[in-house]
Amino acid sequence: MKFWLLTTEYPPFHGGGISTYCYQTGRMFADSKIEMTTFIPDDSVSDYKVYNTPEGNRLIKFNTNRTKTTEAFGFAARLSYEFANIVQHIIKMEGRPDIIEAQDYLGIAWYLLQFKHLLYEEVKDVPVVITLHSPAFLYLEYNRVPTYRFPDFHTCEMEKETLVMADWLIAPTQYMVDAIQPYVDLTAKNKTVIRNPYITPTHKVAHTIKRNKIVYYGKLSAQKGSFELLSYFKKMWDTGFKHSLHVIGGTDIVFHPEQLTMGQIVSKQYEQYLKNGQLLLHGKIKPEFIEQELHSAHVIIVPSIVDNLPYVVIEAMALGKVVLASVQGGQREMIEHGVSGFLFDHTIEGDFEEKLKLVISLTDEQIAAIGKAAKAQVAAMYDPAVIKEQKLPLLNDIIKNKKTSTTYPFLYQNQFKPVAGNGNLLSVVIPYYNMGKYIKECVQSVKSSTWRNIEILIINDGSTEAESLDVLKEMEKTAGVTVFHKPNEGLAFTRNYGAGKANGDWLAFLDADDLVTPEYYEKALRVLKQYDNVFFAGSFVQYFEDTNRKWATFTPQPPYALVHNPVNSSGLVYKKAAFLAAGLNDKTVDYGLEDYESVIHLLSEGYNGVVLPEFLFRYRVRGDSMIRKITREKLLYSYKYIAEKHSSYYSTFATQINNLLNANGPGFLFDNPTFAVNVVTNAENNSWLYRKAKAFVKRNKTLKKIALRLKK
């Protein structure tokens, strides 16, 4: 079996759970003679480098800007994009793996899964398994990070969509499956609980338990239950509890509501207890001293309020230590209460104090017995030989039973009425108004398409320019091109008119000054033909002429699509019947946003679309283009009209829309959810002098004209 693993951390990096999991899995597979390749980002390499690991596997490190897309993506999205690209590059060089596994965190497999489901040759037949580790959409909530603020919102959506698109989900605990369920419906998803492998250290360390030494080993953070733990101890100390709490781990995690590190907060709130020696913050300690500190502990506390599989529990139990852990996490599945450790419940008043005092009262013999049982529990649950017997048959079954679906795995999709689309003819409709300067180049780009069965319909919307009319006469003589003439009515009516004249089951719009790459239509139609629930397709956009910027568009999904248009809606490819049913442009929207309203209408009727993650569309940026003339007032009118027209659809996502706008400002002011935005609101000056000046400007025609131009 050729097994590839995508991860953000790998030894010698000390990244906690993910790093440990990858290392332990690598050792397990190396012992099984499985060809394992691990992909990891590392900007110390200029492109990518291949290494052999000590345990006998292969490691590929790659630069996170291999494809030069920093202007198009924020970090998390770019990381995912580069994972997808390096995987496809290695496949082109040496062939496909049998299966790929990736972590859920940061959605690093998001673009890989898009390439797979969008039928890209290198990866379309490769099964992708996602292992649940620490999804940001869950953990950030517990750390009170504003999850609707960009780029965190987009990162969380990437993770959710990754879970939906994966062929299979593997969770080390049932707890994590249950915790994710309120955020992503996993009811019908292929999923299995398989513990993470852990190779128990065989070396023995001489140690003496220091009675009443209470250790919390882990970083200070809200999700780890740090606030709750310290509040329990404060209450106990204030009522005479005599034993100190040793905190071992990082203190630099930021608690976002306070914009302070956890260390700063704890040092201020518990200053008295730090001075008294009741609270001891050891900070991070070197790895070689960790075992020594844990060995001497009477009890190790794991108070997480949400957690998947905290390795500190496994490590402590494997050392024969007594662990007191909360039931609010996967650790509750590791411990048999009173036999191999102890559990307490944050929701039960006084439960922690009661359980801690019970542990403190244990005799040396009881501590030894629990330690012995803890070691046996770890061996029984996490020994690689045990895990291998569960995981390898599952992976082989996934490989054996792989298949291509006819349903694209969207996160959100309304019910829809099926539409026909069986033929091969693509009708490309080009609205035309005084575009003689550009139309030949536009038509030639269509004719260069690798999809050969195309009719080109140029819809002349009452052009008045002599040169443009002369060019149309040439176009009328061009094979494969039909020119229609109509009175000037605007872009919306022109597109609708063209759709009505189209003979193909497939329909594309192309502005007369834009271009398409040769592969665009073929790749779009391949997806439209494959999936019953995909009704339009777009691609990334390369600007040209006045700028050479890149625009990474996104598959339109609510709630983001309801506050900002994420797709190049002027150059999409459709199942024509879907466009006629729900995509016709509404002239009332006006000001160039009629194609955005068309996308919203399609989504509301369940006619979802996708974006090909390549720069296959070339968008000409001109100083005199219509979109350059749009004003804030025009945008406000159009956005208001669209929301009111589709108020029922918007109301379904009202809470999410409200949160997005509060976190990031008006939707028409941002353009890429993978980058952070700054929201600034300035109230209008209302002083006596300002009011006087404003009134004076209103009465002066010249000044009024200047003021309006500045406001625009």
Side-chain angles (χ1 to χ4, degrees):
M1 179 193 299
K2 289 177 64 177
F3 175 86
W4 288 5
L5 178 66
L6 314 186
T7 180
T8 54
E9 297 169 352
Y10 196 85
F13 306 99
H14 299 287
I18 294 173
S19 182
T20 304
Y21 168 76
C22 295
Y23 173 67
Q24 300 281 12
T25 299
R27 288 185 62 182
M28 179 179 74
F29 280 175
D31 293 342
S32 303
K33 308 301 181 185
I34 289 174
E35 296 179 46
M36 176 171 164
T37 299
T38 301
F39 292 80
I40 181 171
D42 186 346
D43 286 345
S44 69
V45 300
S46 59
D47 186 3
Y48 74 93
K49 287 187 177 180
V50 181
Y51 303 84
N52 292 319
T53 67
E55 62 271 17
N57 296 312
R58 185 172 64 159
L59 186 66
I60 297 180
K61 297 181 180 181
F62 63 92
N63 189 281
T64 60
N65 192 32
R66 286 185 68 249
T67 59
K68 311 302 180 191
T69 53
T70 50
E71 65 173 313
F73 300 110
F75 173 73
R78 177 163 48 87
L79 182 63
S80 178
Y81 195 68
E82 295 298 355
F83 264 112
N85 276 282
I86 186 63
V87 165
Q88 291 179 94
H89 175 74
I90 299 300
I91 287 175
K92 288 177 182 177
M93 293 184 64
E94 61 184 50
R96 298 183 183 91
D98 295 304
I99 195 164
I100 297 174
E101 179 183 325
Q103 67 188 52
D104 53 2
Y105 180 57
L106 294 183
I108 63 171
W110 186 57
Y111 270 118
L112 173 65
L113 283 161
Q114 286 192 45
F115 279 108
K116 169 184 166 66
H117 288 291
L118 294 172
L119 308 176
Y120 281 74
E121 186 62 32
E122 289 77 20
V123 292
K124 67 179 183 178
D125 296 322
V126 181
V128 178
V129 173
I130 299 297
T131 297
L132 307 182
H133 283 289
S134 52
F137 66 78
L138 177 63
Y139 282 65
L140 292 181
E141 291 283 355
Y142 283 89
N143 286 330
R144 300 193 180 180
V145 176
T147 53
Y148 281 90
R149 184 175 59 196
F150 302 145
D152 288 328
F153 170 78
H154 187 265
T155 301
C156 292
E157 294 298 287
M158 286 168 57
E159 291 179 338
K160 294 173 188 176
E161 292 180 8
T162 294
L163 301 186
V164 171
M165 290 191 288
D167 292 281
W168 210 280
L169 304 179
I170 297 178
T173 64
Q174 181 61 41
Y175 171 85
M176 184 49 56
V177 175
D178 297 338
I180 288 173
Q181 182 62 33
Y183 299 86
V184 183
D185 186 6
L186 302 179
T187 306
K189 191 68 191 175
N190 294 325
K191 55 188 178 295
T192 305
V193 173
I194 297 179
R195 315 293 177 189
N196 291 352
Y198 182 77
I199 301 172
T200 305
T202 55
H203 64 280
K204 295 183 179 180
V205 178
H207 66 279
T208 301
I209 292 175
K210 294 181 181 177
R211 290 204 65 94
N212 305 320
K213 180 180 178 181
I214 304 168
V215 173
Y216 164 61
Y217 173 44
K219 60 188 176 185
L220 285 178
S221 72
Q223 76 187 54
K224 294 293 185 180
S226 300
F227 288 128
E228 287 78 2
L229 177 66
L230 292 172
S231 70
Y232 297 150
F233 270 91
K234 180 181 183 300
K235 182 179 178 181
M236 291 190 294
W237 287 327
D238 290 346
T239 55
F241 188 72
K242 300 184 183 301
H243 309 305
S244 300
L245 172 64
H246 296 258
V247 177
I248 301 173
T251 62
D252 56 351
I253 297 293
V254 175
F255 185 58
H256 285 262
E258 301 293 340
Q259 285 297 284
L260 296 170
T261 67
M262 291 292 293
Q264 290 172 318
I265 294 172
V266 170
S267 295
K268 182 178 180 180
Q269 292 184 357
Y270 294 89
E271 182 180 8
Q272 170 190 339
Y273 305 95
L274 287 164
K275 287 181 179 179
N276 294 341
Q278 293 166 298
L279 177 60
L280 303 167
L281 299 181
H282 297 278
K284 294 180 181 178
I285 62 175
K286 293 182 178 180
E288 57 265 30
F289 297 126
I290 291 175
E291 276 196 19
Q292 180 180 333
E293 290 291 338
L294 297 184
H295 267 300
S296 63
H298 183 149
V299 57
I300 295 170
I301 300 175
V302 181
S304 299
I305 57 174
V306 57
D307 222 326
N308 186 0
L309 187 85
Y311 271 92
V312 62
V313 175
I314 301 177
E315 293 165 0
M317 291 175 67
L319 293 173
K321 304 308 300 179
V322 176
V323 176
L324 173 60
S326 68
V327 299
Q328 278 75 31
Q331 60 271 12
R332 70 190 183 196
E333 299 172 34
M334 310 179 200
I335 297 171
E336 184 179 354
H337 180 68
V339 177
S340 56
F342 294 87
L343 297 168
F344 73 93
D345 193 332
H346 282 296
T347 66
I348 300 175
E349 182 71 26
D351 195 42
F352 173 78
E353 182 178 354
E354 177 186 330
K355 299 297 173 49
L356 178 60
K357 289 181 177 179
L358 171 62
V359 174
I360 293 296
S361 70
L362 293 174
T363 65
D364 291 348
E365 291 77 14
Q366 289 173 316
I367 291 173
I370 291 170
K372 183 178 180 180
K375 285 184 177 181
Q377 185 91 336
V378 170
M381 295 181 69
Y382 305 106
D383 186 272
V386 175
I387 305 305
K388 183 172 62 175
E389 290 301 314
Q390 299 170 0
K391 189 163 185 174
L392 290 186
L394 174 65
L395 296 181
N396 282 319
D397 283 346
I398 294 171
I399 294 167
K400 181 180 178 181
N401 297 311
K402 63 184 179 184
K403 58 182 179 180
T404 303
S405 175
T406 57
T407 302
Y408 190 89
F410 290 109
L411 189 58
Y412 300 105
Q413 182 163 39
N414 283 355
Q415 290 186 340
F416 59 87
K417 295 180 181 178
V419 297
N422 302 313
N424 290 318
L425 178 63
L426 169 66
S427 301
V428 179
V429 172
I430 304 176
Y432 181 92
Y433 179 76
N434 292 340
M435 283 286 157
K437 184 178 179 181
Y438 308 107
I439 188 65
K440 291 182 181 179
E441 187 180 10
C442 175
V443 168
Q444 184 55 47
S445 77
V446 176
K447 283 183 162 291
S448 298
S449 185
T450 56
W451 187 267
R452 305 309 303 168
N453 198 353
I454 293 178
E455 65 169 2
I456 301 173
L457 311 179
I458 299 175
I459 314 300
N460 175 31
D461 186 34
S463 292
T464 58
E465 186 181 81
E467 179 185 352
S468 292
L469 292 171
D470 288 341
V471 172
L472 278 184
K473 292 178 182 178
E474 291 183 45
M475 289 291 103
E476 288 174 335
K477 301 174 184 177
T478 303
V481 176
T482 304
V483 178
F484 293 89
H485 299 273
K486 58 182 281 299
N488 181 260
E489 298 174 289
L491 188 55
F493 286 140
T494 303
R495 284 187 181 132
N496 294 344
Y497 179 92
K501 296 295 184 180
N503 296 302
D505 281 346
W506 317 100
L507 171 70
F509 291 111
L510 180 62
D511 287 351
D513 56 344
D514 291 337
L515 310 172
V516 291
T517 59
E519 304 87 6
Y520 177 42
Y521 291 140
E522 181 177 0
K523 290 183 176 181
L525 288 169
R526 182 174 63 197
V527 175
L528 291 172
K529 284 174 168 284
Q530 176 66 32
Y531 295 113
D532 299 331
N533 65 329
V534 175
F535 301 90
F536 62 91
S539 80
F540 290 176
V541 176
Q542 173 67 64
Y543 293 119
F544 72 106
E545 194 162 299
D546 283 1
T547 178
N548 61 357
R549 285 180 55 242
K550 288 178 164 60
W551 178 27
T553 59
F554 303 95
T555 291
Q557 285 273 269
Y560 180 81
L562 302 182
V563 299
H564 186 87
N565 187 6
V567 67
N568 175 33
S569 47
S570 66
L572 301 175
V573 185
Y574 304 84
K575 291 178 178 175
K576 186 180 73 174
F579 178 83
L580 294 175
L584 290 168
N585 284 197
D586 183 347
K587 169 64 176 173
T588 311
V589 180
D590 220 345
Y591 306 129
L593 268 69
E594 51 278 306
D595 50 0
Y596 173 36
E597 186 277 329
S598 170
V599 169
I600 298 299
H601 196 173
L602 286 161
L603 296 178
S604 70
E605 297 295 332
Y607 295 137
N608 281 15
V610 297
V611 165
L612 301 166
E614 290 185 281
F615 296 92
L616 301 175
F617 192 95
R618 299 192 66 207
Y619 188 104
R620 190 186 304 267
V621 178
R622 298 181 288 111
D624 61 345
S625 65
M626 183 173 65
I627 199 66
R628 289 288 187 94
K629 298 175 184 178
I630 198 164
T631 64
R632 183 186 182 95
E633 277 66 28
K634 290 177 180 178
L635 288 168
L636 286 170
Y637 165 79
S638 297
Y639 270 68
K640 174 178 176 291
Y641 178 83
I642 292 170
E644 289 177 348
K645 178 177 179 179
H646 301 287
S647 59
S648 177
Y649 187 46
Y650 274 68
S651 66
T652 306
F653 300 94
T655 300
Q656 296 97 313
I657 291 171
N658 181 68
N659 289 334
L660 275 173
L661 297 178
N662 278 337
N664 306 291
F668 54 81
L669 291 182
F670 49 76
D671 190 47
N672 190 323
T674 72
F675 290 104
V677 297
N678 293 317
V679 182
V680 178
T681 301
N682 294 315
E684 184 178 73
N685 190 322
N686 196 38
S687 67
W688 174 85
L689 182 61
Y690 178 80
R691 294 198 307 271
K692 281 287 189 181
K694 188 175 181 180
F696 178 76
V697 169
K698 284 183 176 180
R699 292 192 299 269
N700 186 295
K701 290 184 178 179
T702 302
L703 292 177
K704 185 176 182 179
K705 185 181 294 185
I706 294 172
L708 288 173
R709 188 179 295 118
L710 291 173
K711 184 179 179 182
K712 178 181 176 182

